[in-house]
Amino acid sequence: MSITSFNPPVRTLMGPGPSDVHPRVTGAMARPTIGHLDPAFVGMMDEVKQMLQYAFKTQNQLTIPVSAPGSAGMETTFMNLLERGDKAIVCQNGVFGGRMKENVERCGATPIMVEVEWGKPVDPQKAEDALKANPDAKLLAFVHAETSTGARSDADILCKLAHDHDTLALVDAVTSLGGSELKVDEWGIDAIYSGTQKCLSCTPGISPVSFSDRAVEVITSRNTKVQSWFLDTNLVMGYWGPNAKRAYHHTAPVNALYALHESLVMLQEEGLENAWARHYNNHLALRAGLEAMGLSFIVDEAHRLPQLNSVTIPDGIDEAAVRSRLLNEFNLEIGAGLGSLAGKVWRIGLMGHSSRAENIFLCLSSLEAVLSEMGADINTGAALEAAQSAMK
Ligand SMILES: *Cc1c(COP(=O)(O)O)cnc(C)c1O
């Protein structure tokens, strides 16, 4: 037997990411590879940076795509800002805050944890207490859109608290960028990272990051070298920097950057605020359908992410069997619960190109079909109509 070309099945991706990639983006990715120092490529790099500033709502000069997925963006922010012996306050209300803690420890710094119940937003009072108790903390880190639960924290308030205590604000926006309100300059975010595969309708593998001038000053005046050579922004800026000579640091993922460029062009065409509104309106339609079926949301309405819907599983239903039937019979992927929510919820993503009407109807009708066949205690025949009437 010989191995032949890989042809993946065509799926509808409604999990926690990756989400559906727009055909314009995969089309861009298939264009001819050119050198990463080719003047034509360098011109495109400038446009990518400019469009990332638009998406982040920032004037930050140091706004670049890191050549690796969201986790590398996380490492880029922590590794560059922290030095051995520093202290960092980390708010945890889900899986990704736990990874932030790991990052702080691996920098040789001390994490001060602010623990919040999963499914709830970060409590500003608890964050403020930690800031007061640790006036020597260098930064306050939190996840804006906790993909493991579907909760949105108030980044505006948390950043203001950090600044009131003369501390940098570091924000995970992997799931918020392009999907819901995010204002880097207005909120005073000092370091932020995201990913291409969630609300940007793009392929996985790139992590947009941005640093404020205040953060850049911290990075350029470090006493020690950044422990990661690859993620050291002092070196990366020789290639991506505003007045850089475009010196070789690493080979940029040329075709993946074509993809990001195209997805950002599409975001500009749609308009950032319109993209936020689309995610919200589609959430309302999905919610109406799921609730009509009898499922309920685990996050309070006020703190719910439109792009990540965590819902309860009907009693007595094998949740993994439901997901595998959706995948095998309907080519539909939805997400399982993570960490303390494993086995307790499904996570239904409406991110980027996945956030559209046809996906909502596919999800509601196939979920209803599978659940009713498995004998679940749900209301049948109401979900599609409820979604339809909630649709804008
Ligand atoms: C997906 C995700 C990450 C990790 O991104 P990868 O691209 O998988 O490395 C980090 N934080 C949050 C909130 C995420 O949703």
Side-chain angles (χ1 to χ4, degrees):
M1 218 172 91
S2 66
I3 295 176
T4 58
S5 309
F6 176 61
N7 285 296
V10 178
R11 309 281 202 208
T12 299
L13 302 178
M14 297 183 72
S19 52
D20 287 346
V21 176
H22 196 282
R24 270 178 65 179
V25 174
T26 42
M29 205 163 188
R31 288 175 196 149
T33 302
I34 58 176
H36 64 285
L37 300 173
D38 187 310
F41 188 73
V42 167
M44 189 212 64
M45 289 167 68
D46 288 332
E47 292 181 354
V48 167
K49 288 199 296 179
Q50 206 181 315
M51 291 189 290
L52 283 178
Q53 287 177 323
Y54 168 76
F56 274 129
K57 281 192 161 296
T58 184
Q59 303 292 320
N60 288 342
Q61 286 291 323
L62 181 39
T63 301
I64 57 169
V66 171
S67 304
S71 305
M74 184 187 281
E75 294 221 10
T76 297
T77 52
F78 284 98
M79 298 286 151
N80 281 276
L81 290 173
L82 293 178
E83 295 188 65
R84 194 159 284 285
D86 283 342
K87 213 187 233 190
I89 300 173
V90 174
C91 305
Q92 179 170 15
N93 61 338
V95 166
F96 292 100
R99 292 191 178 180
M100 287 179 153
K101 176 174 187 251
E102 272 283 325
N103 270 266
V104 172
E105 287 168 350
R106 285 167 192 240
C107 291
T110 306
I112 307 293
M113 298 305 291
V114 174
E115 302 281 356
V116 179
E117 192 189 328
W118 289 35
K120 298 256 186 291
V122 172
D123 180 353
Q125 187 58 55
K126 284 189 177 173
E128 189 171 16
D129 292 346
L131 284 160
K132 278 185 184 150
N134 298 278
D136 53 340
K138 194 174 197 177
L139 59 86
L140 172 81
F142 63 92
V143 179
H144 181 217
E146 208 3 299
T147 324
S148 64
T149 67
R152 176 181 48 78
S153 289
D154 192 331
D156 192 5
I157 287 184
L158 291 169
C159 290
K160 286 199 170 67
L161 285 174
H163 293 152
D164 287 349
H165 292 82
D166 208 16
T167 300
L168 297 170
L170 190 165
V171 179
D172 177 320
V174 175
T175 286
S176 37
L177 183 66
S180 48
E181 189 183 53
L182 176 64
K183 299 175 172 174
V184 169
D185 287 358
E186 196 179 313
W187 294 348
I189 295 171
D190 293 296
I192 189 164
Y193 59 90
S194 188
T196 44
Q197 79 278 28
K198 308 233 171 156
C199 294
L200 293 180
S201 315
C202 187
T203 47
I206 304 269
S207 173
V209 301
S210 184
F211 290 94
S212 70
D213 291 346
R214 190 168 18 194
V216 170
E217 211 173 292
V218 169
I219 296 171
T220 50
S221 58
R222 288 174 62 102
N223 294 317
T224 55
K225 283 185 181 178
V226 175
Q227 74 189 74
S228 163
W229 177 86
F230 183 66
L231 300 176
D232 183 345
T233 52
N234 292 299
L235 302 178
V236 173
M237 287 308 273
Y239 180 56
W240 276 102
N243 304 307
K245 291 200 299 268
R246 305 292 179 198
Y248 170 62
H249 174 259
H250 64 276
T251 306
V254 171
N255 294 61
L257 286 167
Y258 299 164
L260 176 59
H261 183 276
E262 189 69 17
S263 72
L264 292 169
V265 167
M266 290 181 59
L267 183 66
Q268 283 200 333
E269 286 171 2
E270 181 177 16
L272 184 59
E273 283 77 4
N274 294 335
W276 296 345
R278 169 171 54 85
H279 283 86
Y280 182 64
N281 291 332
N282 284 331
H283 156 74
L284 293 181
L286 179 72
R287 179 188 85 178
L290 291 170
E291 288 181 344
M293 216 187 284
L295 304 184
S296 46
F297 281 72
I298 64 154
V299 177
D300 292 348
E301 196 167 345
H303 305 111
R304 208 175 275 165
L305 286 169
Q307 60 273 54
L308 197 283
N309 299 267
S310 288
V311 289
T312 51
I313 293 157
D315 286 341
I317 291 298
D318 174 354
E319 72 83 20
V322 173
R323 282 185 294 109
S324 84
R325 285 192 59 179
L326 291 175
L327 192 68
N328 295 327
E329 295 166 30
F330 297 91
N331 278 304
L332 172 65
E333 179 180 278
I334 65 168
L338 265 189
S340 66
L341 294 174
K344 295 184 185 148
V345 298
W346 287 308
R347 291 180 301 152
I348 304 177
L350 283 175
M351 302 183 184
H353 186 52
S354 291
S355 177
R356 64 206 146 103
E358 65 214 78
N359 281 17
I360 294 170
F361 291 122
L362 169 68
C363 177
L364 292 172
S365 54
S366 53
L367 190 58
E368 183 170 313
V370 169
L371 284 177
S372 60
E373 213 186 85
M374 289 169 88
D377 182 18
I378 55 161
N379 304 323
T380 54
L384 293 183
E385 200 184 311
Q388 179 76 64
S389 43
M391 205 152 265
K392 296 249 163 118

